[in-house]
Amino acid sequence: MGPWTLLLLHLPLVVSMLPAPTNVSIVSFNLEHTLTWLPGPGTPDNTYFTVQSLRKNSWQLVKGCARLKTSQSCDLTNTFKDSFYHYKARVQAITTTQKSNWSLSTLFYPLTDTLLGPPVVSVSGCGNCLLLQVTPPTSRGLQRSLSPTQLLYRQFTCKVRRTRDGSQFSMWVTSTEKTMIGYLEPGAEYCVTVTPSTSFNPHSVPSEPHCAFTSPTAANTVPVVLSVLCAFSLLVVLLCGIVVYSGRLLCMHKPLPKTLSSVPLCGGG
């Protein structure tokens, strides 16, 4: 077999190779995992993509990710069930006649690589203090039986800021207890921002500021007091009017004594 024959035998293999996908990465939020990628330069429009995950030292097709379009991604939430394990995924471009090389993701650890979203926060005033309640968010990944929700959302960094002058301080809180933030200024507004905090996962998103007054302010109580006084005064005037009017009606319908009834009330014979 001559050298030209060998070249012709290998030439179709070179020509038929599709561009491999690029920028393969696993995006994770609250233990919901998604594989994303970009088509390689020069990828035909009729190309679809297939995804496999590495489990038990073998590559297996991911359910629902066998024929994905260019604009689609692959949901790995149900595939990466064990948050304490590590995973890899790979994607391949395919047409009816061509295939690309596999493009691999980096090693992914769900527990440490997922982005922790903001918790659910409620704040209310209690005089010279605030009552703070923090609970974990809800998501499909966090609701799984193997999800370490209590481990990821057990402690939080709480930043308390006074609106009037911007003075602030930080404290630790837990999600299982209602926390009282004491020694605050009565009648002042404070805003509280809460961020999940763990020693093994530095990726977290703080909550929006939740604001509340420690107690009603003087400016807010004066209109209320005046409104109550005005309503009470009107009620008293109304009752007095009713009493006077009722008395007049009684006098008009009461018969006069006989000694007075013979006295003419108007001039006449």
Side-chain angles (χ1 to χ4, degrees):
M1 184 179 295
W4 290 105
T5 304
L6 291 175
L7 180 60
L8 291 174
L9 289 175
H10 287 82
L11 186 60
L13 297 178
V14 175
V15 173
S16 64
M17 188 66 67
L18 278 175
T22 61
N23 292 7
V24 180
S25 62
I26 298 174
V27 180
S28 179
F29 183 79
N30 282 346
L31 294 179
E32 292 186 5
H33 320 303
T34 304
L35 183 72
T36 64
W37 63 88
L38 293 175
T43 300
D45 294 336
N46 63 336
T47 302
Y48 64 90
F49 300 87
T50 185
V51 176
Q52 294 181 349
S53 64
L54 183 62
R55 288 175 286 177
K56 298 180 180 179
N57 297 322
S58 65
W59 290 99
Q60 302 178 30
L61 180 67
V62 177
K63 184 179 180 180
C65 299
R67 294 181 64 91
L68 297 174
K69 297 179 181 179
T70 302
S71 59
Q72 292 180 304
S73 56
C74 179
D75 187 353
L76 298 173
T77 304
N78 293 329
T79 303
F80 296 172
K81 292 181 179 180
D82 189 352
S83 299
F84 297 91
Y85 195 65
H86 58 273
Y87 298 92
K88 264 189 176 183
R90 65 181 185 178
V91 58
Q92 184 184 45
I94 301 176
T95 65
T96 55
T97 58
Q98 298 172 304
K99 291 184 179 181
S100 73
N101 289 326
W102 289 96
S103 296
L104 276 70
S105 71
T106 58
L107 198 61
F108 177 73
Y109 296 85
L111 193 65
T112 59
D113 292 338
T114 191
L115 178 63
L116 303 178
V120 180
V121 180
S122 64
V123 182
S124 60
C126 55
N128 65 339
C129 58
L130 292 175
L131 290 178
L132 173 67
Q133 180 72 58
V134 183
T135 54
T138 57
S139 74
R140 185 163 51 96
L142 293 173
Q143 290 174 345
R144 292 199 312 266
S145 59
L146 296 178
S147 170
T149 304
Q150 296 302 322
L151 186 62
L152 292 171
Y153 287 92
R154 183 172 57 185
Q155 286 190 330
F156 304 88
T157 301
C158 176
K159 183 180 294 184
V160 184
R161 181 181 181 274
R162 187 164 57 189
T163 305
R164 174 170 54 82
D165 56 4
S167 62
Q168 62 184 21
F169 62 90
S170 297
M171 58 184 295
W172 292 89
V173 297
T174 62
S175 63
T176 57
E177 303 174 357
K178 180 173 286 188
T179 304
M180 185 182 72
I181 307 174
Y183 304 103
L184 303 179
E185 178 185 349
E189 184 184 43
Y190 289 83
C191 293
V192 180
T193 303
V194 182
T195 306
S197 179
T198 66
S199 58
F200 51 83
N201 188 325
H203 316 293
S204 60
V205 179
S207 70
E208 294 291 327
H210 292 261
C211 304
F213 284 90
T214 50
S215 60
T217 62
N220 292 332
T221 56
V222 170
V224 176
V225 173
L226 290 178
S227 299
V228 173
L229 289 177
C230 289
F232 180 75
S233 301
L234 289 174
L235 181 61
V236 170
V237 171
L238 181 61
L239 290 176
C240 291
I242 293 174
V243 171
V244 171
Y245 183 71
S246 300
R248 288 182 178 179
L249 289 177
L250 289 174
C251 290
M252 291 175 64
H253 292 86
K254 185 178 181 181
L256 293 173
K258 294 182 178 181
T259 55
L260 295 178
S261 59
S262 59
V263 180
L265 296 177
C266 299

